[in-house]
Amino acid sequence: MQKLTHSKKILVSSALAFSMTVTSLFGMNAVQAAPSGFSEHHISTGSTQLSKQYTGKGIKVAVIDSGINMEHPLFKGNIKKGYDYIERDSIPQDGDGHGSHVAGIIMQQAPDAELYIYRVFAGVNGQKNYSNSVVDAIKRAVEDKVQVINLSLNADIDAPSEPIARAIAEAVQQGVVVVKSAGNSGEAWSITSPGYGAEPIVVGATSQAHTDAALVSGTTNVQLHPLYGAKKLPTTGSASFVYAGHVAPAKLKDAKFRGKYVVIEAREDSDYFVEEWYEAAQESGLKGVIFAVSSMDGDGSSMYVNVDKDPSRMIPGAIISMEDARKLKKLASKPWSWGSVNVAERLGSLSSGGPAVGTWLLKPDLVAPGMHIYSALGEEDGYVMNSGTSMAAPQVTAAAALLLEAHPNWTPEMVKSALMQHANQLVNEKGIPYKRTEQGAGSLNVEAALQTSTFALPASLSFGHIAPGYKGNNPVLSQILELKNTSDKPVTYQLKANLEVGKGQLEIPQQITVQPNQTVKIPVKWTVDLKQKAGVWSGSISIKGDKEVLSVPFVLVNQVKSYPLVKGEHIDNTLYSPKGDSSKKSSTIHYYVTVPSQRVLVTATREDEQPKSLAGKTYVLLNQAKHAKGLTQFKFTGKDVNGTTLPDGRYNIKVKSFAENRQTVTEGITFFVDSKAPVVVKINNQKAAKGQLFGTIEDQLTELNGLIVTKELERHLIFDPKLVTMQWRVKDGQKWNYVNVNVDEKRFFADLRSAKLALGKHNIILRVKDVFGNQAEQTIQITIK
């Protein structure tokens, strides 16, 4: 297949990805110039000798994202095909960096996979209305016969059955594995679309297991978190250090610091960057640096230094909390030694949790390393460290490629089962397992998944939802679990249900024999004890065979009141103009009601303060009793329920649902109504006499916050929009000439001398148009003297 080459200008965007967190150090991007082996802490997915036999060779993997860095050496020879939905060509050059980072992670784990790149967005920070492109990209990927699709993105509409979710279901039905990032809210009930359904493998994020250095003195043990990009500190032998405090970088040249490990306070209000101290430490001959910081999140250090990577100049570095720094300062004169701390894999604090609202499925399906991950830059040959579930999903995508290389006949359901049934259950710092709704089946283990010969289908069980206030006998809930034996021998399995959270009795056969290449159906019954506290109940079914032990997680949502009653609010056109461009003459409000509701309201509240009589006024656009569960579309007609036309202005549209003796209100979306074209209110006759057109205009946009309007337009992929444009000409049929407009100052200017107008009176035709498409022509009279 013909190799794609980069022929387009690289676009550089500062937007942060909605599914990733760009690591920063006091405002500086963490960029690695020339890493050794891509990462100081190489990504671990449970691989050993067996999994290293597979490299993804011959497996077609689609990355639907912001494109790819076509010239990055990491992708050399791997990009087989691509399409750019922004530029409408076959060169999906990354303009954001997110897609390159995602694809680079896949390449680290499956270096021989064939990449199919589909660029569907240009900047992921708040961008909207790209679902149609994603749907088309999924269909195109299926036509291109890819075997795995990575989606480290969210849908426009956060709800089941939205267009991307339907496209995923169709792709999986046609034999494609689809992997989706869980989201980065770090809360329960926050799995994002298209992750509500059973078809995609939804992935949460973990930190990687690693070993940190430590300083030890008696019973005091200070963990030294990694300073990414620097050398590691020793872990054995005697240790000594100098506590410098908040010292200026230039002061590190002092002889008392030379050849020493120095502790520096990197305060939040400091005038210096960590990199300044580090470079000064290199130049001053320090042996190493330890930075004390005011705060450190639960995921540990995320600081990075991007400096000269010459091994002869690199020095060790680490990060500690200010609390630990005080210990070092107090005990500085005591004898110290180097030690080590083993840090286990932990759930990332930003990783979104489940269950999936409305479908009540167990989500995420599993978790994988996504915190502090090195991968390719979008516009250079270097590497960057990012964190998020966007970084975890491609770990699983690569794992799926390895499984399909080893087992070409596996279906998407079998791949998902192998990955989930052999995941490693994670525990927190106290040794307590994370909730199933946080880690799903557990952490990715490629090695165990490769050796699968028994499959449990579906890969997890959902016993649905018992509504709050349920009256009646203890319900008996039933599910069917299929057990598939692909070995050449009959296998007798021992089954046991383990209820981890909640009460009740699960009934399953204690033992079952499955013949070679046979699938049997196993009934699972759960008699729920309603006397127990309401909650999200979960557990797992252990299935032990001759050589394998499978674990099938399950979940039940029992009478809780913590999930949102409505979510997924989306407006496909937030710039409503009934007299403007055709694309802005209608707006559809989408929202997702998660349970049947007594009433649903859609309201529009005035945000701008002019005129003062309308400031804060709320209009009810929809007031519907007995609203059904599901995704709903409501067409805005410019009027409220009483038939009142909404005046031009900026509004906040919210959806409110009432059910279960409580209510949920969406955050709201900024919405603009504009039905009037700009008006010329004054002409400067003195300037006109000299052949210069100078005057003032009035329009709603001159009263609104232009920055807000501009940002809203950028979310619709309109970059550097002109809020008001103006043209002039003398006669009908003549060429229109450009007029310079300053919206903030409500002024316009044009030089008429190029028209060579004769002395005397002239009628000048002005055409003004705002970004909503409202347009008007106005004739003014000027006199040339």
Side-chain angles (χ1 to χ4, degrees):
M1 189 172 297
Q2 184 178 4
K3 180 181 180 295
L4 299 179
T5 58
H6 171 210
S7 63
K8 294 192 302 187
K9 181 181 179 181
I10 296 176
L11 302 176
V12 180
S13 170
S14 62
L16 303 185
F18 53 68
S19 284
M20 80 172 182
T21 302
V22 174
T23 306
S24 63
L25 10 140
F26 303 121
M28 300 176 66
N29 279 349
V31 179
Q32 183 172 359
S36 175
F38 305 112
S39 169
E40 278 88 344
H41 297 303
H42 189 71
I43 303 161
S44 172
T45 55
S47 61
T48 59
Q49 209 51 42
L50 176 61
S51 55
K52 291 178 181 177
Q53 298 175 18
Y54 303 103
T55 60
K57 187 175 179 60
I59 304 302
K60 298 178 179 180
V61 177
V63 178
I64 300 175
D65 213 288
S66 67
I68 196 169
N69 183 346
M70 304 290 293
E71 300 301 325
H72 199 288
L74 185 57
F75 308 124
K76 187 175 182 180
N78 292 89
I79 305 173
K80 301 301 179 181
K81 192 174 183 180
Y83 187 76
D84 189 328
Y85 285 88
I86 308 301
E87 304 290 343
R88 297 291 173 180
D89 60 29
S90 60
I91 310 297
Q93 176 63 32
D94 196 350
D96 176 83
H98 189 266
S100 297
H101 200 272
V102 167
I105 294 169
I106 296 171
M107 286 291 93
Q108 292 182 55
Q109 302 296 337
D112 291 328
E114 299 176 2
L115 292 177
Y116 286 66
I117 307 298
Y118 307 93
R119 183 179 181 234
V120 294
F121 53 75
V124 295
N125 186 27
Q127 184 174 317
K128 299 182 355 180
N129 291 347
Y130 58 81
S131 282
N132 289 340
S133 295
V134 177
V135 169
D136 192 76
I138 292 172
K139 293 179 179 178
R140 190 183 290 255
V142 173
E143 293 173 359
D144 289 336
K145 301 188 183 305
V146 305
Q147 290 132 297
V148 191
I149 295 175
N150 188 95
L151 293 171
S152 290
L153 49 75
N154 299 334
D156 289 328
I157 305 171
D158 188 15
S161 301
E162 49 80 33
I164 298 178
R166 297 197 298 269
I168 289 174
E170 178 63 26
V172 172
Q173 187 176 8
Q174 296 189 48
V176 181
V177 177
V178 179
V179 182
K180 157 78 172 77
S181 56
N184 293 337
S185 75
E187 300 175 351
W189 307 108
S190 62
I191 295 297
T192 55
S193 184
Y196 289 86
E199 296 84 6
I201 303 173
V202 178
V203 186
T206 66
S207 61
Q208 303 173 67
H210 61 278
T211 299
D212 286 345
L215 278 170
V216 182
S217 179
T219 58
T220 301
N221 191 318
V222 175
Q223 181 179 349
L224 304 172
H225 299 270
L227 174 63
Y228 294 100
K231 278 187 175 181
K232 295 182 180 179
L233 289 162
T235 55
T236 59
S238 60
S240 63
F241 57 85
V242 177
Y243 197 96
H246 186 250
V247 60
K251 297 293 185 181
L252 294 178
K253 294 180 181 179
D254 194 308
K256 65 181 179 181
F257 297 130
R258 183 173 295 275
K260 305 289 180 61
Y261 290 97
V262 179
V263 180
I264 300 170
E265 294 180 5
R267 300 172 186 168
E268 289 184 352
D269 59 353
S270 175
D271 293 329
Y272 312 111
F273 292 117
V274 168
E275 284 189 341
E276 292 179 75
W277 277 304
Y278 187 84
E279 287 186 283
Q282 284 181 304
E283 295 169 359
S284 303
L286 272 63
K287 199 168 184 179
V289 285
I290 299 171
F291 292 106
V293 297
S294 301
S295 61
M296 195 181 305
D297 61 30
D299 300 312
S301 165
S302 60
M303 281 193 175
Y304 185 89
V305 285
N306 177 32
V307 294
D308 186 356
K309 295 294 180 178
D310 181 354
S312 65
R313 285 177 45 78
M314 295 302 294
I315 61 174
I319 305 296
I320 60 174
S321 68
M322 205 64 76
E323 180 182 357
D324 281 338
R326 285 192 286 269
K327 295 179 184 177
L328 296 184
K329 184 177 182 180
K330 182 179 180 181
L331 303 174
S333 61
K334 300 290 184 181
W336 289 85
S337 62
W338 297 110
S340 63
V341 177
N342 292 323
V343 182
E345 183 180 7
R346 303 293 188 204
L347 186 72
S349 61
L350 55 67
S351 187
S352 289
V357 183
T359 63
W360 315 118
L361 294 176
L362 177 64
K363 298 289 176 175
D365 293 302
L366 74 164
V367 292
M371 307 303 296
H372 309 149
I373 304 297
Y374 286 96
S375 190
L377 274 168
E379 65 278 353
E380 299 175 18
D381 289 348
Y383 296 80
V384 66
M385 185 179 71
N386 291 326
S387 294
T389 59
S390 280
M391 286 67 250
Q395 314 280 7
V396 176
T397 294
L402 301 186
L403 295 182
L404 289 173
E405 179 190 3
H407 306 284
N409 296 325
W410 281 10
T411 65
E413 293 78 12
M414 294 168 73
V415 170
K416 184 174 184 178
S417 174
L419 291 171
M420 291 182 64
Q421 263 72 79
H422 295 287
N424 301 322
Q425 189 171 21
L426 286 185
V427 297
N428 62 21
E429 292 79 0
K430 297 179 180 180
I432 301 172
Y434 291 103
K435 296 177 183 178
R436 290 293 178 182
T437 53
E438 294 173 333
Q439 68 169 313
S443 179
L444 175 64
N445 187 328
V446 178
E447 180 71 17
L450 278 165
Q451 302 176 68
T452 301
S453 61
T454 302
F455 300 87
L457 307 170
S460 65
L461 295 178
S462 172
F463 288 87
H465 170 241
I466 299 175
Y470 172 86
K471 303 295 182 183
N473 298 325
N474 290 340
V476 179
L477 308 175
S478 299
Q479 287 288 329
I480 297 295
L481 182 66
E482 292 188 354
L483 203 59
K484 183 182 184 69
N485 174 21
T486 62
S487 72
D488 56 2
K489 296 178 181 179
V491 179
T492 298
Y493 300 93
Q494 310 298 322
L495 284 71
K496 183 180 179 181
N498 305 298
L499 190 56
E500 299 161 354
V501 180
K503 295 290 183 179
Q505 182 180 356
L506 270 78
E507 299 177 24
I508 57 173
Q510 293 184 351
Q511 181 176 294
I512 191 168
T513 300
V514 185
Q515 298 301 317
N517 297 311
Q518 183 186 21
T519 301
V520 298
K521 295 184 177 181
I522 303 173
V524 183
K525 289 186 178 181
W526 189 349
T527 302
V528 180
D529 184 356
L530 295 179
K531 294 180 181 179
Q532 303 300 318
K533 283 186 177 181
V536 178
W537 294 358
S538 61
S540 63
I541 297 173
S542 173
I543 305 173
K544 185 177 182 180
D546 297 340
K547 298 180 180 180
E548 292 181 271
V549 178
L550 282 66
S551 180
V552 181
F554 59 80
V555 68
L556 165 67
V557 179
N558 179 28
Q559 303 185 82
V560 300
K561 291 186 177 182
S562 55
Y563 52 80
L565 300 173
V566 62
K567 60 185 304 186
E569 181 185 4
H570 172 73
I571 305 177
D572 55 15
N573 176 31
T574 56
L575 311 174
Y576 177 76
S577 183
K579 299 177 182 178
D581 291 342
S582 59
S583 63
K584 300 178 183 67
K585 289 185 177 181
S586 65
S587 292
T588 301
I589 303 170
H590 307 260
Y591 58 91
Y592 168 46
V593 178
T594 62
V595 294
S597 297
Q598 280 84 42
R599 187 171 300 278
V600 170
L601 298 176
V602 179
T603 61
T605 301
R606 186 87 178 204
E607 286 189 320
D608 51 299
E609 299 180 355
Q610 295 297 329
K612 291 184 178 180
S613 60
L614 296 178
K617 182 176 176 59
T618 295
Y619 300 81
V620 178
L621 308 182
L622 175 72
N623 184 350
Q624 182 176 331
K626 297 181 180 180
H627 198 295
K629 169 185 175 179
L631 181 59
T632 301
Q633 295 182 352
F634 167 66
K635 189 172 183 179
F636 177 69
T637 62
K639 299 181 179 181
D640 67 5
V641 292
N642 297 317
T644 302
T645 298
L646 269 65
D648 289 1
R650 186 175 84 241
Y651 296 85
N652 185 262
I653 307 292
K654 292 185 177 182
V655 183
K656 181 184 292 186
S657 175
F658 300 86
E660 304 170 353
N661 296 317
R662 61 191 181 97
Q663 64 186 43
T664 299
V665 185
T666 59
E667 291 183 0
I669 297 176
T670 297
F671 183 81
F672 300 89
V673 177
D674 191 341
S675 61
K676 300 174 183 176
V679 177
V680 176
V681 294
K682 186 177 181 181
I683 294 292
N684 187 315
N685 292 323
Q686 289 182 337
K687 289 184 178 293
K690 299 177 181 179
Q692 294 178 324
L693 188 63
F694 188 89
T696 58
I697 57 171
E698 284 187 358
D699 185 71
Q700 180 190 192
L701 292 175
T702 65
E703 304 299 330
L704 295 177
N705 185 329
L707 179 61
I708 294 177
V709 181
T710 302
K711 291 298 181 184
E712 186 65 24
L713 293 168
E714 288 177 351
R715 288 161 65 88
H716 287 267
L717 303 183
I718 304 173
F719 296 98
D720 192 25
K722 303 295 183 183
L723 299 183
V724 175
T725 58
M726 182 182 293
Q727 296 170 302
W728 71 271
R729 65 184 181 186
V730 178
K731 298 179 180 179
D732 290 339
Q734 286 186 340
K735 175 184 175 182
W736 287 103
N737 300 282
Y738 174 76
V739 177
N740 183 48
V741 178
N742 187 322
V743 174
D744 293 334
E745 297 183 5
K746 306 179 185 180
R747 298 178 183 275
F748 62 88
F749 168 79
D751 191 339
L752 308 182
R753 289 173 292 185
S754 60
K756 298 180 180 180
L757 300 177
L759 298 180
K761 294 182 179 180
H762 298 274
N763 291 324
I764 304 296
I765 305 171
L766 293 178
R767 183 167 69 184
V768 290
K769 183 178 181 180
D770 64 27
V771 73
F772 295 89
N774 297 304
Q775 178 175 300
E777 291 188 8
Q778 184 174 348
T779 301
I780 62 172
Q781 190 177 80
I782 66 171
T783 301
I784 303 294
K785 296 182 180 179

